[in-house]
Amino acid sequence: MSQLSTKHLLGIKQLTEQDIRTILSTAAKFKEVINRPIKKVPTLRDITIANLFFENSTRTRVSFELAQKRLSADVINFSSSSSSVKKGETLLDTVNNILAMKVDMVVMRHPSPGAPHFLAKHIDANIINAGDGTHEHPTQALLDAFSMQEKLGDLAGKKVLIAGDIMHSRVALSNIFCLRKLGAEITLCGPPTLIPQGIESLGVRIEYNIEKALAWCDVANILRIQLERQNTKYFPSLREYALTFGVNKKRVESLHKEIVIMHPGPINRGVEITSDVADSKHSIILDQVENGVAVRMAALFLLANKGIEN
Amino acid sequence: MKYRASNVIVVDPTSSFNGKKTDIIIENGSIITIEDAGTTEGDFYEIPVNGQYVLPGLCDLYADFCDPGFEFREDIHSGADAALRGGYTTVCVIPHTEPVIQNKSQVEYVLNQSKQVLVEILPYGTITANLDGKEPTEMYDMHQSGAIGFTDAPYSIKDAGVMLRALQYCKPFNGTIFTLPFDKTLVGEGQINEGKISLENGMKGISNLSETLQIQRDLEICKYTASRLHFFGISTAESVGLIRKAKQEGMQVTASVFLHHLVFTENEAADFDTNFKTMPPLRTEKDKNALIEGLREGTLDAICTQHTPLDTESKQLEFEYAEFGVIGLETAFQAAYTYLGETLGMEKLVQLMSFQPREIINKPLSGIQKEGVANLFFFNHEETSIIETGNIHSKSVNTPFLGKTLQGKITGIFCKNEWLMF
């Protein structure tokens, strides 16, 4: 099986198109594995993985842990709020202490952009970025691409809408890098205060009218409003946000065509998306969750293999 | 004791010997003889700098020596050592200490410390008490005690009223306000320049607007008060245009650039290296070129180092948590020679790093001529220096030149009637 061009999965930006295709095709095989009666394979036996979560997470942590257990890896979990880490021990000290116990791979979520890149300069273990602040969330983008491909086939020329809080979203940035590399067209939609100045330079369009944006797309990836990452008021109220940018049944039904609805979760029901859309037949939100395990198994498998060879 | 530097090439546009090979004889801290090379005879202590350049001692308008309060990062002695090795004989230090320099006795502390080292160290006093941006300090008393000017750097003055009153208050004693111009409300949580790298790295950006808006505001206030104002470290192409226009209108405005903005761009921060985290941030190639052009045409008056020593614990961190700042005294002239030598030429660099900064603080230098003060350094342009943590003399090593090779080496310095060879 072909390998990746990188030792770490820090972000989609560092991956080649071939890397992405390798991970997605490997994920397809693992998806078949996790649907067998016996879901576990011995692939990563003797590999020890530390899941370091310096920021709250439920679904990503569970998804990684499940992927690791399905591959028979030994898993240790470490959770800490960022503030206590910031005030006390440095990130480097924390991680070096854990690595001193002979850990092969690190899966890290951290509130600060570039934290895994910083770590990669100082430690030997393979690192998977499970989200670094407002920067990247590469496995999410990979599972989104995988889920889109399942529905639409090859993504070249497909029209993807990413709607919501672009500025505070690591999912948006990783999606942009990933989908551009796979040849999809991208439009962003949201309040101008939540769209970074000059983002068109990354090869995307901007549309401020959600109805026009929905009418244009094949897939709509609706992002969560990241209230926890906003220290400033970027829009006046959730009510007004829902009125202007919320994806609701009326807006979806007025399209006269089928579009695929996605959301990386957790959903603010009634804000960026209403329940009747999130739970509708157009929605593949739960498929995304299932595919997340397969994609993460693929990433872990490919990186660990590389590590052993080195 | 008479010292002789034989066969040295003078780089000093104010000297009649500029560009000539000369012998320089120094006694009691003064240049008693300067003549064509090979024409001096007598019994001298020979300074071993044959064939090298001799330049006037440099003057930095912006350095942080962290003393008192943060001596683990730098103190007057280590800062002075770094300065001398960089060719600097005068360094103006910002009052960002603990306690901050905001009254007569604190100004005198720095001046007294300065007497113990070869470098002339001149303190700024703060504009506001405890750098709080609100209450004015005793600027007149500090001025009388030797404060070279007033600044709240590394902070900007957020309140327009405070800036207005500071500029007004300084007028009777011809004091100068120095400001690092940025609008804090627009900088917000910004980490690097707002542009390609901030987008790709998912970081909040610091826009050019955050600087130009503040400069426009301060220029309007300065026009109203008709006072003397200096902008530290302007970083954008638009800012150069604003300063150009203000000077054309005859305002008493001067501006400096930090050396790192003339060498590096935002691209250096792409892999989250905190040694490129500065305030103002490293900008784009377009801004960098506009700054260089601003220096060349005379719109901008000085190159400063913004020497900001930071301990490893403040820098070897996640980018967001690392502090803003780089050191620069030891490398500034070599870096300027390496990266700007061809564009600006050595004579212009001497103007920008020695004579013009001294004019801004009203401390003129006599230059390299007969009966002038021996305030000079020697530069061997054929040698190279590799910048490594092991050969940095500052207490901190947060330099953006780490691992880089710079052309030329400062081989010795003469000031306060003493000389050092490196």
Side-chain angles (χ1 to χ4, degrees), chain A residues 142-159:
Chain A
L142 291 164
L143 77 87
D144 286 346
F146 184 88
S147 306
M148 287 179 210
Q149 272 191 1
E150 271 191 335
K151 277 299 231 188
L152 303 169
D154 191 85
L155 295 181
K158 296 292 186 300
K159 293 173 175 164

Side-chain angles (χ1 to χ4, degrees), chain A:
Chain A
M1 190 173 289
S2 55
Q3 297 295 319
L4 304 181
S5 66
T6 168
K7 182 185 169 187
H8 308 290
L9 181 52
L10 300 177
I12 302 290
K13 190 183 164 193
Q14 288 83 11
L15 297 183
T16 62
E17 184 193 335
Q18 186 53 47
D19 287 335
I20 295 171
R21 295 198 186 279
T22 303
I23 295 171
L24 297 183
S25 61
T26 310
K29 290 171 189 146
F30 281 117
K31 183 163 184 183
E32 185 263 315
V33 169
I34 58 175
N35 280 293
R36 290 178 194 163
I38 296 169
K39 301 175 178 62
K40 196 162 174 165
V41 288
T43 321
L44 293 192
R45 215 168 48 195
D46 298 330
I47 296 281
T48 307
I49 304 172
N51 294 320
L52 310 180
F53 280 71
F54 296 97
E55 191 181 62
N56 290 338
S57 163
T58 307
R59 67 191 59 220
T60 304
R61 191 169 54 77
V62 167
S63 179
F64 264 110
E65 194 172 341
L66 205 57
Q68 292 152 357
K69 287 182 169 163
R70 296 267 191 264
L71 291 166
S72 306
D74 293 319
V75 179
I76 53 167
N77 290 308
F78 172 92
S79 300
S80 171
S81 79
S82 59
S83 56
S84 67
V85 171
K86 196 177 166 187
K87 284 172 194 156
E89 196 174 43
T90 67
L91 172 64
L92 205 50
D93 282 343
T94 307
V95 174
N96 274 328
N97 271 286
I98 291 165
L99 292 180
M101 297 179 244
K102 309 298 173 208
V103 167
D104 304 293
M105 293 178 83
V106 171
V107 173
M108 184 170 82
R109 166 164 292 191
H110 196 285
S112 179
H117 305 67
F118 163 71
L119 212 54
K121 286 182 202 159
H122 293 99
I123 68 169
D124 282 333
N126 304 98
I127 298 169
I128 294 183
N129 179 6
D132 59 332
T134 51
H135 182 210
E136 282 225 45
H137 191 358
T139 56
Q140 179 71 42
L142 291 164
L143 77 87
D144 286 346
F146 184 88
S147 306
M148 287 179 210
Q149 272 191 1
E150 271 191 335
K151 277 299 231 188
L152 303 169
D154 191 85
L155 295 181
K158 296 292 186 300
K159 293 173 175 164
V160 182
L161 166 67
I162 304 174
D165 180 356
I166 310 298
M167 182 182 277
H168 298 94
S169 172
R170 49 194 171 217
V171 178
L173 195 56
S174 284
N175 259 272
I176 291 170
F177 288 140
C178 187
L179 294 168
R180 291 294 298 148
K181 286 181 182 182
L182 294 175
E185 291 176 37
I186 303 170
T187 292
L188 306 177
C189 182
T193 48
L194 289 175
I195 296 181
Q197 184 87 358
I199 198 159
E200 299 92 328
S201 66
L202 299 183
V204 299
R205 289 176 56 225
I206 297 173
E207 169 60 63
Y208 296 119
N209 182 319
I210 189 71
E211 279 148 19
K212 285 186 189 166
L214 288 168
W216 169 84
C217 72
D218 300 314
V219 192
N221 198 352
I222 315 296
L223 302 180
R224 174 184 164 73
I225 289 293
Q226 301 279 358
L227 289 173
E228 68 277 15
R229 281 184 219 140
Q230 295 178 12
N231 299 327
T232 310
K233 271 268 184 183
Y234 290 93
F235 55 89
S237 66
L238 291 176
R239 177 183 165 275
E240 181 151 303
Y241 182 86
L243 279 175
T244 35
F245 295 101
V247 177
N248 54 36
K249 194 175 174 188
K250 186 176 158 221
R251 282 179 173 149
V252 173
E253 282 185 347
S254 69
L255 295 175
H256 310 298
K257 69 168 183 176
E258 294 251 325
I259 62 166
V260 178
I261 300 283
M262 300 174 70
H263 192 297
I267 301 172
N268 295 308
R269 285 177 183 262
V271 182
E272 66 265 7
I273 189 168
T274 53
S275 289
D276 45 16
V277 176
D279 304 333
S280 71
K281 62 179 173 33
H282 305 294
S283 160
I284 58 164
I285 294 172
L286 291 177
D287 297 336
Q288 288 174 267
V289 178
E290 181 188 344
N291 293 337
V293 178
V295 163
R296 289 178 176 118
M297 286 172 81
L300 289 161
F301 167 74
L302 291 165
L303 287 179
N305 229 2
K306 181 99 176 166
I308 290 165
E309 275 186 358
N310 283 351

